[in-house]
Amino acid sequence: MKPDYFGTANAIGSAISKVSGTLEQLINYDETPREAALSRARAEAVELAVEAGAVRETVEIIEVEDVPLAYYPGNTNRVKVKAAGDLV
């Protein structure tokens, strides 16, 4: 037996979900200081979420990964930042 209104469950879930933007790139901290690079990455992730339809005032950083890569020259890290906010 299926519950009443089971066909609208996905529509409701989509309507209340967040819109996100994810930035992933390699950054050499020998060229760009770590804090400056992470700050720029956060700002770019927010912009990606807004471009995807999120309301700027509701966007938050929800995930940050900063992984050193030993097989790249210098102090290179893989940086991944995800931002999400409410749908317009």
Side-chain angles (χ1 to χ4, degrees):
M1 179 176 170
K2 295 179 183 175
D4 292 339
Y5 309 109
F6 76 94
T8 60
N10 283 340
I12 293 169
S14 294
I16 63 173
S17 68
K18 302 281 186 180
V19 179
S20 67
T22 303
L23 174 81
E24 187 170 354
Q25 64 186 56
L26 300 180
I27 300 174
N28 185 342
Y29 291 146
D30 290 337
E31 297 173 4
T32 306
R34 181 176 187 270
E35 290 308 314
L38 291 177
S39 178
R40 187 179 70 226
R42 286 182 176 97
E44 289 180 32
V46 167
E47 290 304 317
L48 290 170
V50 170
E51 288 174 16
V55 177
R56 182 179 301 279
E57 294 76 25
T58 66
V59 176
E60 307 176 357
I61 301 299
I62 60 172
E63 183 180 335
V64 177
E65 291 180 22
D66 185 11
V67 180
L69 301 174
Y71 47 87
Y72 274 86
N75 189 11
T76 301
N77 286 37
R78 182 182 63 82
V79 173
K80 181 178 178 183
V81 180
K82 185 173 185 178
D86 295 336
L87 184 61
V88 174

